[in-house]
Amino acid sequence: MKKPVALFASLAAVFAATLFATSALADDFPAVISVSGEATVSAAPDLAHIDAGVANDAKSAKEASDANNAAMGKVLLALKGAGVAEKDYQTSRLSLQPQYAPNRSGGASPVVGFRASNRVTVKIRDVTKVAGIIDTLVGAGANDIGNISFEVTQASKLLDGAREQAVADARRKAEIYAKATGVTLGAPLSLSEGGGPVPLLKGRMATAPMAATQAAVAPGEETLSVTVNVSWAIKQGQ
């Protein structure tokens, strides 16, 4: 009859140890309130990127390549003449591809010519000159103007004020939760900035620009945002 008593005593000891360990864990991990705070700031872009190129068709690969090289040479000289530094334009794509005749019979299509293309990405450090640079590109022979993007280069510095606002926003939210649950907000335990780089604001042209009329470009404003994640210790309301 002693075995049940011994078993009960053993279970009681295990329960007491578990309760002690749970209490110790609770002491090691204080209760917290964790919230996110957000803030935004708007700024005019101060840098633009333009993607432009020339394409040439010819009967032979050499003719297409030679014509394309000459055409791109004129474009690059025009950029230099417009005051764009050589470090601010870079070849982004170069291709030479055969062109095939339409074939509805299902057999192999014959090669009827070649298309050579060359694309360049231009960095413009004065956004007021974007429309003029586009006109320069078109006037020099660029027959394919691609995407235009605008960027705020000092985004991190501009976000410093927004960071303070984001922390204040997080505290405001935490105090609401603390009041609603009957506790007092303590000291902050951790803070981290969330999110990634802000997407670039894209500018678009409704139609292909013509040399006789200046391209219509609207840089607009870019909205920069920041998010912070903050955890506060809490204590029983007093």
Side-chain angles (χ1 to χ4, degrees), residues 133-220:
I133 295 299
I134 292 175
D135 292 338
T136 295
L137 289 167
V138 175
N143 53 16
D144 185 3
I145 305 296
N147 292 330
I148 302 175
S149 63
F150 295 94
E151 179 184 353
V152 176
T153 59
Q154 300 296 321
S156 184
K157 288 184 178 180
L158 292 172
L159 281 172
D160 286 347
R163 289 183 173 99
E164 294 181 4
Q165 296 173 24
V167 173
D169 182 52
R171 175 176 285 277
R172 178 186 63 81
K173 293 176 182 177
E175 288 176 345
I176 292 173
Y177 288 123
K179 182 178 179 180
T181 53
V183 297
T184 301
L185 203 62
L189 299 176
S190 66
L191 186 152
S192 64
E193 184 172 314
V198 180
L200 298 181
L201 176 67
K202 301 295 183 181
R204 298 179 180 178
M205 293 179 295
T207 58
M210 303 298 292
T213 304
Q214 191 173 57
V217 178

Side-chain angles (χ1 to χ4, degrees), residues 86-108:
E86 291 187 12
K87 66 178 182 179
D88 287 336
Y89 50 87
Q90 182 181 50
T91 299
S92 57
R93 185 172 182 268
L94 183 65
S95 69
L96 177 63
Q97 298 179 333
Q99 303 297 297
Y100 299 94
N103 190 339
R104 296 185 178 87
S105 65

Side-chain angles (χ1 to χ4, degrees), residues 8-232:
F8 176 79
S10 176
L11 290 173
V14 171
F15 176 76
T18 303
L19 183 63
F20 176 79
T22 302
S23 177
L25 285 174
D27 291 338
D28 291 339
F29 296 93
V32 299
I33 291 179
S34 298
V35 296
S36 295
E38 299 89 19
T40 61
V41 61
S42 295
D46 57 354
L47 182 66
H49 300 267
I50 298 176
D51 179 53
V54 292
N56 298 88
D57 295 327
K59 291 293 185 180
S60 71
K62 186 177 187 307
E63 289 174 338
S65 180
D66 289 346
N68 190 252
N69 289 337
M72 180 52 76
K74 292 179 180 179
V75 169
L76 297 181
L77 284 175
L79 286 173
K80 186 175 182 179
V84 180
E86 291 187 12
K87 66 178 182 179
D88 287 336
Y89 50 87
Q90 182 181 50
T91 299
S92 57
R93 185 172 182 268
L94 183 65
S95 69
L96 177 63
Q97 298 179 333
Q99 303 297 297
Y100 299 94
N103 190 339
R104 296 185 178 87
S105 65
S109 298
V111 175
V112 295
F114 290 84
R115 169 166 292 184
S117 63
N118 193 338
R119 302 195 65 81
V120 63
T121 299
V122 185
K123 186 181 295 184
I124 304 174
R125 301 181 185 276
D126 182 352
V127 295
T128 64
K129 296 181 178 180
V130 171
I133 295 299
I134 292 175
D135 292 338
T136 295
L137 289 167
V138 175
N143 53 16
D144 185 3
I145 305 296
N147 292 330
I148 302 175
S149 63
F150 295 94
E151 179 184 353
V152 176
T153 59
Q154 300 296 321
S156 184
K157 288 184 178 180
L158 292 172
L159 281 172
D160 286 347
R163 289 183 173 99
E164 294 181 4
Q165 296 173 24
V167 173
D169 182 52
R171 175 176 285 277
R172 178 186 63 81
K173 293 176 182 177
E175 288 176 345
I176 292 173
Y177 288 123
K179 182 178 179 180
T181 53
V183 297
T184 301
L185 203 62
L189 299 176
S190 66
L191 186 152
S192 64
E193 184 172 314
V198 180
L200 298 181
L201 176 67
K202 301 295 183 181
R204 298 179 180 178
M205 293 179 295
T207 58
M210 303 298 292
T213 304
Q214 191 173 57
V217 178
E221 279 193 340
E222 186 173 350
T223 298
L224 309 172
S225 63
V226 62
T227 300
V228 295
N229 306 302
V230 190
S231 294
W232 275 275

